[in-house]
């Protein structure tokens, strides 16, 4: 059956596809890649990732920079450090940057981001695209940042199963599935290119949960997706929990997730996540071959990188080579892909939606 042509996609069908192994799994992954070539081609767009700060008010049970982890040395980049990183991106052919940080919602933080957005637009002559990944904020904050120049926002739902969401977050009144959904709706209604995503291979997560994650993204009509394997972090409550898949299986499952999502949403932007590279040195390239079209090289000043450890063995902490565009380009060339220098690389899904209005 050609599932991309049908409006109805069953969760059981998707779960069966996620369970494929061996040559059948490989065939599915290759189909994901083929759908991508036929829809958006073989250009990979880059977002220079700047990890602004690891200060976080939340305490997600899986995350290494959770507020409850007292082993983390906290940092907050200065405006100059951030603007230097942006200048680096601008001078080196990046069409876009992504600003990510632990979650803060205080007035000072909101005003600071606003000011930075304006400065970034100014220093790049309005040229550089800006993605934000700064967690749950109020409608007014999202709107304010949009008006100041951000045009994409990435907020992973983490899992679309609300019971599982509850199990992965502390019961402290700060982690509410419905609020997260509301945030995504607000982001979309303001006019951002809206991105979400999930972790794959989480404790207590079934293939049926993942099938429903795919349907959630399809039904929500997201423009961009960043999803990757769950990888343990030593200093988190989920470390050492039994019943999770071996890392290699989480990796393969993620490739099938990427391929299936590409088949059911051919025109979205999809990130080849850094977590893939943690498990396999060629992880990002394999994700690209399965249907991903975005890479987010880390351009955070090197001395801070080992403090933004969301999970164990996060790559690129001690060297820039793996994240340099020339390195990525050479790797991609082996697979007949290229980099879209100095281009925003907007989601085709978003552009077509606009035209249909
Ligand atoms: N493994 C994989 N991904 C993680 N994230 C946080 N902790 C982990 C982990 N242990 C992801 C979450 C979050 C994004 C910034 O990083 O999905 O949204």
């Amino acid at each position: 059956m050609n599932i991309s042509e049908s409006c109805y996609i069953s969760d059981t069908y998707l779960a069966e596809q996620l369970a494929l192994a061996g040559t059948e799994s490989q065939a599915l992954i290759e189909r994901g890649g083929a759908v991508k070539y036929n829809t958006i081609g073989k250009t990979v767009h880059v977002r220079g990732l700047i990890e602004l700060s690891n200060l976080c008010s939340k305490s997600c049970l899986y995350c290494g920079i959770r507020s409850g982890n007292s082993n983390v040395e906290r940092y907050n980049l200065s405006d100059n450090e951030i603007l230097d990183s942006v200048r680096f991106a601008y001078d080196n052919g990046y069409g876009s940057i992504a600003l990510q940080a632990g979650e803060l919602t205080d007035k000072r933080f909101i005003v600071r981001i606003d000011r930075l957005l304006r400065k970034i637009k100014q220093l790049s002559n309005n040229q550089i695209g800006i993605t934000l990944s700064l967690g749950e904020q109020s409608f007014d904050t999202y709107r304010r940042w949009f008006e100041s120049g951000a045009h994409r926002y990435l907020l992973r739902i983490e899992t679309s199963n609300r019971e599982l969401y509850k199990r992965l977050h502390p019961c402290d009144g700060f982690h509410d599935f419905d609020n997260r959904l509301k945030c995504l709706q607000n982001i979309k209604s303001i006019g951002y290119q809206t991105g979400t995503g999930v972790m794959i291979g989480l404790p207590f997560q079934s293939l049926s949960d993942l099938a429903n994650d795919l349907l959630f993204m399809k039904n929500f009509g997201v423009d961009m997706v960043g999803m990757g394997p769950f990888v343990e972090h030593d200093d988190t409550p989920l470390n050492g929990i039994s019943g999770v898949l071996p890392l290699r299986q989480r990796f393969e499952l993620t490739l099938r997730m990427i391929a299936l999502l590409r088949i059911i949403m051919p025109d979205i932007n999809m990130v080849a996540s850094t977590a893939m590279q943690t498990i396999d040195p060629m992880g990002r390239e394999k994700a690209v071959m399965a249907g991903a079209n975005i890479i987010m090289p880390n351009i955070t000043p090197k001395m801070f990188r080992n403090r933004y450890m969301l999970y164990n063995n996060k790559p690129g902490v001690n060297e820039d080579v793996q994240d340099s565009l020339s390195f990525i380009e050479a790797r991609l060339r082996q697979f007949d892909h290229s980099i879209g220098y100095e281009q925003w690389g907007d989601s085709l899904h978003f552009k077509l939606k606009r035209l249909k209005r």
Side-chain angles (χ1 to χ4, degrees):
M1 183 176 73
N2 183 351
I3 52 173
S4 59
E5 283 177 22
S6 168
C7 285
Y8 177 74
I9 304 159
S10 93
D11 54 340
T12 28
Y13 174 78
L14 291 174
E16 277 164 26
Q17 295 287 303
L18 288 172
L20 293 178
T23 52
E24 285 182 320
S25 168
Q26 196 46 40
L28 171 66
I29 291 166
E30 284 169 18
R31 239 177 87 213
V35 169
K36 185 189 72 168
Y37 313 148
N38 294 333
T39 319
I40 55 173
K42 294 188 177 182
T43 305
V44 171
H45 287 100
V46 288
R47 324 279 182 230
L49 175 65
I50 310 173
E51 296 159 339
L52 306 182
S53 139
N54 64 0
L55 297 166
C56 192
S57 59
K58 296 272 185 87
S59 215
C60 308
L61 301 183
Y62 43 84
C63 183
I65 63 166
R66 63 198 302 271
S67 57
N69 183 5
S70 54
N71 291 334
V72 180
E73 204 185 327
R74 302 286 164 174
Y75 76 89
N76 193 6
L77 296 187
S78 69
D79 283 9
N80 279 342
E81 283 161 340
I82 295 166
L83 294 173
D84 283 349
S85 302
V86 174
R87 209 165 284 117
F88 169 84
Y90 185 54
D91 292 343
N92 284 275
Y94 286 80
S96 291
I97 52 154
L99 304 180
Q100 192 177 86
E103 193 169 304
L104 297 177
T105 51
D106 58 279
K107 184 92 190 157
R108 250 181 79 184
F109 179 74
I110 293 164
V111 172
R112 177 172 189 230
I113 296 297
D114 191 65
R115 192 179 60 233
L116 278 165
L117 289 169
R118 291 168 193 275
K119 284 191 181 165
I120 290 168
K121 282 287 166 187
Q122 216 173 29
L123 87 75
S124 70
N125 300 317
N126 259 340
Q127 307 241 310
I128 210 150
I130 308 176
T131 305
L132 295 181
S133 176
L134 301 172
E136 294 176 30
Q137 304 288 341
S138 70
F139 182 89
D140 287 346
T141 301
Y142 286 138
R143 192 173 49 193
R144 180 174 180 168
W145 290 346
F146 184 74
E147 285 167 359
S148 296
H151 64 122
R152 307 186 186 107
Y153 204 104
L154 194 55
L155 180 72
R156 287 189 179 181
I157 192 74
E158 313 298 0
T159 170
S160 64
N161 176 333
R162 64 173 64 236
E163 292 309 314
L164 179 55
Y165 189 91
K166 250 190 211 162
R167 291 176 87 160
L168 300 172
H169 297 95
C171 184
D172 57 6
F174 297 118
H175 300 76
D176 176 20
F177 183 81
D178 288 315
N179 190 54
R180 208 159 179 88
L181 264 185
K182 182 83 201 137
C183 285
L184 274 172
Q185 277 150 2
N186 286 342
I187 290 165
K188 188 178 182 184
S189 72
I190 288 167
Y192 283 98
Q193 287 176 54
T194 305
T196 193
V198 296
M199 282 176 285
I200 296 157
L202 286 162
F204 321 116
Q205 188 181 44
S206 66
L207 291 185
S208 159
D209 289 330
L210 289 168
N212 283 310
D213 288 342
L214 294 173
L215 291 176
F216 168 81
M217 296 186 253
K218 170 95 178 160
N219 294 334
F220 190 89
V222 290
D223 305 302
M224 332 181 288
V225 167
M227 55 184 175
F230 161 68
V231 180
E232 289 84 348
H233 186 291
D234 286 344
D235 300 325
T236 58
L238 291 190
N239 189 40
I241 198 158
S242 59
V244 284
L245 292 172
L247 277 177
R248 182 41 68 176
Q249 286 184 34
R250 286 179 232 171
F251 179 86
E252 297 292 332
L253 186 53
T254 303
L255 291 179
R256 288 193 291 281
M257 282 287 282
I258 291 173
L260 276 172
L261 187 62
R262 177 58 71 195
I263 293 166
I264 65 172
M265 298 193 81
D267 56 5
I268 60 168
N269 273 353
M270 214 186 321
V271 181
S273 72
T274 309
M276 289 297 270
Q277 204 190 344
T278 305
I279 302 178
D280 182 325
M282 294 296 274
R284 285 190 304 200
E285 291 78 3
K286 288 181 182 171
V288 165
M289 295 305 287
N293 66 319
I294 304 285
I295 289 184
M296 297 171 67
N298 195 338
I299 57 166
T300 309
K302 223 182 332 184
M303 63 180 290
F304 297 102
R305 287 194 204 164
N306 63 354
R307 299 197 229 160
Y308 202 86
M309 290 299 234
L310 305 181
Y311 42 80
N312 290 343
N313 304 321
K314 191 167 158 247
V317 165
N318 295 317
E319 29 86 8
D320 292 310
V321 180
Q322 299 251 345
D323 274 332
S324 73
L325 290 193
S326 54
F327 179 90
I328 295 172
E329 185 177 37
R331 284 273 191 101
L332 288 175
R333 211 178 296 126
Q334 292 174 34
F335 302 99
D336 197 25
H337 278 63
S338 60
I339 289 182
Y341 287 100
E342 292 173 5
Q343 298 168 7
W344 277 18
D346 278 341
S347 155
L348 178 62
H349 182 83
F350 182 79
K351 288 191 215 166
L352 292 177
K353 221 165 47 183
R354 284 258 149 133
L355 284 178
K356 282 182 203 152
R357 270 208 212 135

